[in-house]
Amino acid sequence: MGKLEYRLLKPDDTFVSIYHYQSIELEQILARRECEFFVKEGVTYKQTSSAVEDDIHIIYVKEHEHGPKEQAEDDNREITLEVRELNSLRGHPILFVSSFHTHLDVLSYIGTVYTYYNGWEWERDSAEIDEDRSVYSLYVTKTGVTYEGGKA
């Protein structure tokens, strides 16, 4: 188990510690570090960098946007990943939802450049960990390349 801390960039270019995780799996730390965005208490933070300081993993963030805090839909013990189309005009529609047993499984998915769904190739734009809803989200855009079961 490791330690993780989120540090917020303040207007005076200093950082303040905002969230601490004293006992967290390394796999979850790595999956979180792969996410460009972090949502907690209705605030979306954008990752600016990361570091390891002594025995603490640090993710540096800045505030990106504020919104209402959303609740998790259920108390599922599995780890949920939503794959969403990057399209703000349509509210980033969900293409599909997958469940995983470990954060390493999620990392192996959100860390890839391309995803295939419904006969199309989709390119990764960004990922987020939304603690309010207890889900990871992967944002993708359609490349225009068709995909048929192992053949692009």
Side-chain angles (χ1 to χ4, degrees), residues 75-131:
D75 193 21
N76 189 352
R77 292 188 186 272
E78 291 187 326
I79 303 163
T80 302
L81 171 67
E82 302 171 334
V83 177
R84 294 176 164 266
E85 180 181 5
L86 182 67
N87 185 328
S88 59
L89 296 176
R90 295 182 48 216
H92 305 294
I94 295 174
L95 299 174
F96 64 93
V97 176
S98 293
S99 294
F100 296 95
H101 295 290
T102 70
H103 291 276
L104 191 57
D105 293 333
V106 172
L107 175 61
S108 72
Y109 205 89
I110 65 174
T112 63
V113 175
Y114 297 104
T115 299
Y116 299 94
Y117 171 70
N118 205 20
W120 294 99
E121 178 181 79
W122 299 80
E123 186 172 9
R124 181 190 196 280
D125 175 80
S126 59
E128 87 182 1
I129 173 74
D130 185 334
E131 280 196 13

Side-chain angles (χ1 to χ4, degrees), residues 4 33-34 47-53 57-61:
L4 173 64
R33 210 166 56 191
E34 186 70 22
Q47 184 180 153
T48 60
S49 62
S50 61
V52 177
E53 187 177 283
H57 294 264
I58 301 158
I59 297 177
Y60 294 96
V61 296

Side-chain angles (χ1 to χ4, degrees), residues 12-64:
D12 64 357
D13 288 332
T14 61
F15 288 94
V16 60
S17 177
I18 55 173
Y19 297 109
H20 309 271
Y21 303 82
Q22 292 301 317
S23 182
I24 186 171
E25 298 169 326
L26 179 59
E27 292 83 359
Q28 186 174 167
I29 293 170
L30 297 175
R32 285 171 174 266
R33 210 166 56 191
E34 186 70 22
C35 294
E36 290 85 356
F37 298 95
F38 167 62
V39 180
K40 188 161 179 122
E41 302 296 323
V43 179
T44 301
Y45 300 94
K46 183 175 174 119
Q47 184 180 153
T48 60
S49 62
S50 61
V52 177
E53 187 177 283
D54 298 321
D55 65 339
I56 302 172
H57 294 264
I58 301 158
I59 297 177
Y60 294 96
V61 296
K62 62 183 179 181
E63 287 189 10
H64 182 68

